[in-house]
Amino acid sequence: MNSKITSSPRPRPARRVARYALVAVAAALPLTACQDSGTGVEVSADDSAAADASEGGKASDGGEQEGGPQRLLWMGDSIGEAQAPALGAAMKAGGVEFKSVAAAGGGGVVGEIAAPTWDRLPKTLKSFEPDVVAYQVTTYDWGTPAEQRAAYERLVKTVNEAGADLLLVSAPPFKIDDFYKPHRAEIESAPRSAKSVAEEHPDTAGFLDASALWGDDGGAQKAQRSKDGIHSCQQGSAAFAVWFGEELEKRYGFAPAAAEEWATGTWTGEKVYSRLGCE
């Protein structure tokens, strides 16, 4: 695609209404699925006609979107893995082919732990042929700011050479437990490094600041973290998918499918949520 990615105004009222509609639709359904820690929004795992359509990958208006991405590759760690089912359902409902390579315990592009990502990415880009790649900064992007910037520069180059735009997405705030404490400074510098790299490539890369959705406090209700304080359950993942669709709209003219078309699909029963205690 290599469409020019530009800064844009605040989301249009229609998109904000779509987000509120997600809450309204989910809350009206039978309370049979997960409730995110700290939230009062329920999402049912029951199927519906609209959900069946979204799981089948049909566009809301019966065709592919004009001016938007056609094939989206999603990258990240286990946080991204928990967001992928909702994001995939939302993209497919909007007529976008979707593939996730988010990986628990890895998925990053910085340091030695990133070796599996760099080994797999060229093959995935060649086989899937995305026109937009979205990389959510992982909890493992450990390194100095210079090392982080070098890795993100390499990612921009690799993705652009494959004919795709790159969107770097900041991670949600999460609990810094004993495992993450030694890397707090690196975790905090990673989104700043990603943003600085995206600004160097305004035509083929962009930075999405997810704090607009989650805030900056992982323990706050707005962050919608699961019981472990790190990942999201179905509601948080659905909220992210709505927000991400709004960001695609601002950058590409993509028209996201209405939340009620996909938010209660079979994706809500994915095993990743049961592993997180999202019942």
PDB file of all heavy atoms in Angstrom, residues 23-45:
ATOM      1  N   VAL A  23     -20.409  -1.194  23.956  1.00  0.00           N
ATOM      2  CA  VAL A  23     -20.759  -1.392  25.356  1.00  0.00           C
ATOM      3  C   VAL A  23     -22.241  -1.726  25.489  1.00  0.00           C
ATOM      4  O   VAL A  23     -22.637  -2.634  26.212  1.00  0.00           O
ATOM      5  CB  VAL A  23     -20.415  -0.141  26.186  1.00  0.00           C
ATOM      6  CG1 VAL A  23     -20.878  -0.312  27.623  1.00  0.00           C
ATOM      7  CG2 VAL A  23     -18.919   0.125  26.148  1.00  0.00           C
ATOM      8  N   ALA A  24     -23.075  -0.982  24.771  1.00  0.00           N
ATOM      9  CA  ALA A  24     -24.519  -1.185  24.868  1.00  0.00           C
ATOM     10  C   ALA A  24     -24.927  -2.559  24.368  1.00  0.00           C
ATOM     11  O   ALA A  24     -25.734  -3.253  24.979  1.00  0.00           O
ATOM     12  CB  ALA A  24     -25.246  -0.096  24.077  1.00  0.00           C
ATOM     13  N   VAL A  25     -24.369  -2.969  23.231  1.00  0.00           N
ATOM     14  CA  VAL A  25     -24.706  -4.268  22.666  1.00  0.00           C
ATOM     15  C   VAL A  25     -24.270  -5.389  23.599  1.00  0.00           C
ATOM     16  O   VAL A  25     -25.022  -6.323  23.883  1.00  0.00           O
ATOM     17  CB  VAL A  25     -24.043  -4.452  21.286  1.00  0.00           C
ATOM     18  CG1 VAL A  25     -24.160  -5.890  20.821  1.00  0.00           C
ATOM     19  CG2 VAL A  25     -24.698  -3.519  20.282  1.00  0.00           C
ATOM     20  N   ALA A  26     -23.043  -5.306  24.092  1.00  0.00           N
ATOM     21  CA  ALA A  26     -22.528  -6.364  24.952  1.00  0.00           C
ATOM     22  C   ALA A  26     -23.302  -6.454  26.253  1.00  0.00           C
ATOM     23  O   ALA A  26     -23.599  -7.545  26.748  1.00  0.00           O
ATOM     24  CB  ALA A  26     -21.044  -6.130  25.243  1.00  0.00           C
ATOM     25  N   ALA A  27     -23.642  -5.307  26.841  1.00  0.00           N
ATOM     26  CA  ALA A  27     -24.313  -5.302  28.125  1.00  0.00           C
ATOM     27  C   ALA A  27     -25.714  -5.873  28.038  1.00  0.00           C
ATOM     28  O   ALA A  27     -26.261  -6.378  29.023  1.00  0.00           O
ATOM     29  CB  ALA A  27     -24.365  -3.879  28.675  1.00  0.00           C
ATOM     30  N   ALA A  28     -26.325  -5.817  26.874  1.00  0.00           N
ATOM     31  CA  ALA A  28     -27.697  -6.284  26.718  1.00  0.00           C
ATOM     32  C   ALA A  28     -27.807  -7.782  26.541  1.00  0.00           C
ATOM     33  O   ALA A  28     -28.895  -8.344  26.562  1.00  0.00           O
ATOM     34  CB  ALA A  28     -28.339  -5.589  25.517  1.00  0.00           C
ATOM     35  N   LEU A  29     -26.677  -8.478  26.387  1.00  0.00           N
ATOM     36  CA  LEU A  29     -26.693  -9.908  26.104  1.00  0.00           C
ATOM     37  C   LEU A  29     -26.664 -10.731  27.387  1.00  0.00           C
ATOM     38  O   LEU A  29     -26.321 -10.228  28.453  1.00  0.00           O
ATOM     39  CB  LEU A  29     -25.483 -10.255  25.235  1.00  0.00           C
ATOM     40  CG  LEU A  29     -25.552  -9.650  23.841  1.00  0.00           C
ATOM     41  CD1 LEU A  29     -24.208  -9.773  23.182  1.00  0.00           C
ATOM     42  CD2 LEU A  29     -26.616 -10.343  23.012  1.00  0.00           C
ATOM     43  N   PRO A  30     -27.019 -12.025  27.295  1.00  0.00           N
ATOM     44  CA  PRO A  30     -26.955 -12.896  28.466  1.00  0.00           C
ATOM     45  C   PRO A  30     -25.563 -12.899  29.072  1.00  0.00           C
ATOM     46  O   PRO A  30     -24.566 -12.899  28.371  1.00  0.00           O
ATOM     47  CB  PRO A  30     -27.304 -14.286  27.888  1.00  0.00           C
ATOM     48  CG  PRO A  30     -28.095 -13.989  26.662  1.00  0.00           C
ATOM     49  CD  PRO A  30     -27.514 -12.724  26.098  1.00  0.00           C
ATOM     50  N   LEU A  31     -25.496 -12.918  30.389  1.00  0.00           N
ATOM     51  CA  LEU A  31     -24.217 -12.792  31.073  1.00  0.00           C
ATOM     52  C   LEU A  31     -23.583 -14.169  31.218  1.00  0.00           C
ATOM     53  O   LEU A  31     -23.592 -14.781  32.270  1.00  0.00           O
ATOM     54  CB  LEU A  31     -24.425 -12.145  32.447  1.00  0.00           C
ATOM     55  CG  LEU A  31     -25.226 -10.843  32.415  1.00  0.00           C
ATOM     56  CD1 LEU A  31     -25.266 -10.227  33.806  1.00  0.00           C
ATOM     57  CD2 LEU A  31     -24.624  -9.868  31.415  1.00  0.00           C
ATOM     58  N   THR A  32     -22.988 -14.655  30.132  1.00  0.00           N
ATOM     59  CA  THR A  32     -22.457 -16.016  30.129  1.00  0.00           C
ATOM     60  C   THR A  32     -20.968 -16.073  29.877  1.00  0.00           C
ATOM     61  O   THR A  32     -20.413 -17.158  29.762  1.00  0.00           O
ATOM     62  CB  THR A  32     -23.149 -16.849  29.038  1.00  0.00           C
ATOM     63  OG1 THR A  32     -22.894 -16.265  27.765  1.00  0.00           O
ATOM     64  CG2 THR A  32     -24.635 -16.923  29.281  1.00  0.00           C
ATOM     65  N   ALA A  33     -20.317 -14.923  29.769  1.00  0.00           N
ATOM     66  CA  ALA A  33     -18.886 -14.978  29.444  1.00  0.00           C
ATOM     67  C   ALA A  33     -18.090 -14.159  30.443  1.00  0.00           C
ATOM     68  O   ALA A  33     -18.560 -13.797  31.497  1.00  0.00           O
ATOM     69  CB  ALA A  33     -18.645 -14.475  28.027  1.00  0.00           C
ATOM     70  N   CYS A  34     -16.847 -13.862  30.070  1.00  0.00           N
ATOM     71  CA  CYS A  34     -15.889 -13.223  30.964  1.00  0.00           C
ATOM     72  C   CYS A  34     -16.266 -11.804  31.321  1.00  0.00           C
ATOM     73  O   CYS A  34     -16.799 -11.073  30.514  1.00  0.00           O
ATOM     74  CB  CYS A  34     -14.519 -13.215  30.296  1.00  0.00           C
ATOM     75  SG  CYS A  34     -13.355 -12.042  30.960  1.00  0.00           S
ATOM     76  N   GLN A  35     -15.935 -11.407  32.524  1.00  0.00           N
ATOM     77  CA  GLN A  35     -15.988  -9.999  32.903  1.00  0.00           C
ATOM     78  C   GLN A  35     -14.588  -9.560  33.235  1.00  0.00           C
ATOM     79  O   GLN A  35     -13.924 -10.150  34.071  1.00  0.00           O
ATOM     80  CB  GLN A  35     -16.901  -9.791  34.121  1.00  0.00           C
ATOM     81  CG  GLN A  35     -16.956  -8.327  34.551  1.00  0.00           C
ATOM     82  CD  GLN A  35     -18.004  -8.102  35.626  1.00  0.00           C
ATOM     83  OE1 GLN A  35     -19.050  -8.740  35.610  1.00  0.00           O
ATOM     84  NE2 GLN A  35     -17.722  -7.225  36.539  1.00  0.00           N
ATOM     85  N   ASP A  36     -14.091  -8.522  32.553  1.00  0.00           N
ATOM     86  CA  ASP A  36     -12.757  -8.018  32.834  1.00  0.00           C
ATOM     87  C   ASP A  36     -12.693  -7.502  34.249  1.00  0.00           C
ATOM     88  O   ASP A  36     -13.662  -6.981  34.786  1.00  0.00           O
ATOM     89  CB  ASP A  36     -12.413  -6.850  31.894  1.00  0.00           C
ATOM     90  CG  ASP A  36     -11.930  -7.338  30.556  1.00  0.00           C
ATOM     91  OD1 ASP A  36     -11.475  -8.480  30.476  1.00  0.00           O
ATOM     92  OD2 ASP A  36     -12.014  -6.563  29.586  1.00  0.00           O
ATOM     93  N   SER A  37     -11.529  -7.624  34.843  1.00  0.00           N
ATOM     94  CA  SER A  37     -11.331  -7.094  36.175  1.00  0.00           C
ATOM     95  C   SER A  37     -11.609  -5.603  36.176  1.00  0.00           C
ATOM     96  O   SER A  37     -11.020  -4.834  35.439  1.00  0.00           O
ATOM     97  CB  SER A  37      -9.878  -7.344  36.616  1.00  0.00           C
ATOM     98  OG  SER A  37      -9.611  -6.760  37.855  1.00  0.00           O
ATOM     99  N   GLY A  38     -12.549  -5.203  37.023  1.00  0.00           N
ATOM    100  CA  GLY A  38     -12.815  -3.776  37.166  1.00  0.00           C
ATOM    101  C   GLY A  38     -13.817  -3.229  36.187  1.00  0.00           C
ATOM    102  O   GLY A  38     -14.093  -2.044  36.205  1.00  0.00           O
ATOM    103  N   THR A  39     -14.360  -4.012  35.291  1.00  0.00           N
ATOM    104  CA  THR A  39     -15.333  -3.498  34.346  1.00  0.00           C
ATOM    105  C   THR A  39     -16.688  -4.100  34.619  1.00  0.00           C
ATOM    106  O   THR A  39     -16.809  -5.168  35.192  1.00  0.00           O
ATOM    107  CB  THR A  39     -14.954  -3.824  32.886  1.00  0.00           C
ATOM    108  OG1 THR A  39     -15.082  -5.225  32.692  1.00  0.00           O
ATOM    109  CG2 THR A  39     -13.558  -3.376  32.557  1.00  0.00           C
ATOM    110  N   GLY A  40     -17.742  -3.443  34.155  1.00  0.00           N
ATOM    111  CA  GLY A  40     -19.084  -3.935  34.346  1.00  0.00           C
ATOM    112  C   GLY A  40     -19.742  -4.342  33.051  1.00  0.00           C
ATOM    113  O   GLY A  40     -20.950  -4.469  32.986  1.00  0.00           O
ATOM    114  N   VAL A  41     -18.957  -4.514  32.009  1.00  0.00           N
ATOM    115  CA  VAL A  41     -19.493  -4.855  30.687  1.00  0.00           C
ATOM    116  C   VAL A  41     -19.356  -6.341  30.459  1.00  0.00           C
ATOM    117  O   VAL A  41     -18.277  -6.906  30.594  1.00  0.00           O
ATOM    118  CB  VAL A  41     -18.746  -4.090  29.577  1.00  0.00           C
ATOM    119  CG1 VAL A  41     -19.314  -4.464  28.221  1.00  0.00           C
ATOM    120  CG2 VAL A  41     -18.865  -2.604  29.811  1.00  0.00           C
ATOM    121  N   GLU A  42     -20.440  -6.979  30.101  1.00  0.00           N
ATOM    122  CA  GLU A  42     -20.422  -8.413  29.843  1.00  0.00           C
ATOM    123  C   GLU A  42     -20.464  -8.684  28.350  1.00  0.00           C
ATOM    124  O   GLU A  42     -21.119  -7.983  27.595  1.00  0.00           O
ATOM    125  CB  GLU A  42     -21.644  -9.084  30.496  1.00  0.00           C
ATOM    126  CG  GLU A  42     -21.695  -8.944  32.006  1.00  0.00           C
ATOM    127  CD  GLU A  42     -20.739  -9.874  32.716  1.00  0.00           C
ATOM    128  OE1 GLU A  42     -20.214 -10.772  32.044  1.00  0.00           O
ATOM    129  OE2 GLU A  42     -20.531  -9.712  33.919  1.00  0.00           O
ATOM    130  N   VAL A  43     -19.754  -9.715  27.917  1.00  0.00           N
ATOM    131  CA  VAL A  43     -19.803 -10.149  26.526  1.00  0.00           C
ATOM    132  C   VAL A  43     -20.211 -11.611  26.511  1.00  0.00           C
ATOM    133  O   VAL A  43     -19.596 -12.435  27.168  1.00  0.00           O
ATOM    134  CB  VAL A  43     -18.436  -9.989  25.836  1.00  0.00           C
ATOM    135  CG1 VAL A  43     -18.473 -10.586  24.449  1.00  0.00           C
ATOM    136  CG2 VAL A  43     -18.069  -8.521  25.756  1.00  0.00           C
ATOM    137  N   SER A  44     -21.226 -11.934  25.765  1.00  0.00           N
ATOM    138  CA  SER A  44     -21.697 -13.306  25.684  1.00  0.00           C
ATOM    139  C   SER A  44     -20.907 -14.083  24.658  1.00  0.00           C
ATOM    140  O   SER A  44     -20.523 -13.557  23.621  1.00  0.00           O
ATOM    141  CB  SER A  44     -23.182 -13.326  25.294  1.00  0.00           C
ATOM    142  OG  SER A  44     -23.595 -14.641  24.977  1.00  0.00           O
ATOM    143  N   ALA A  45     -20.669 -15.355  24.924  1.00  0.00           N
ATOM    144  CA  ALA A  45     -20.008 -16.227  23.952  1.00  0.00           C
ATOM    145  C   ALA A  45     -21.019 -16.858  23.011  1.00  0.00           C
ATOM    146  O   ALA A  45     -20.667 -17.657  22.156  1.00  0.00           O
ATOM    147  CB  ALA A  45     -19.227 -17.321  24.682  1.00  0.00           C
TER     148      ALA A  45
END
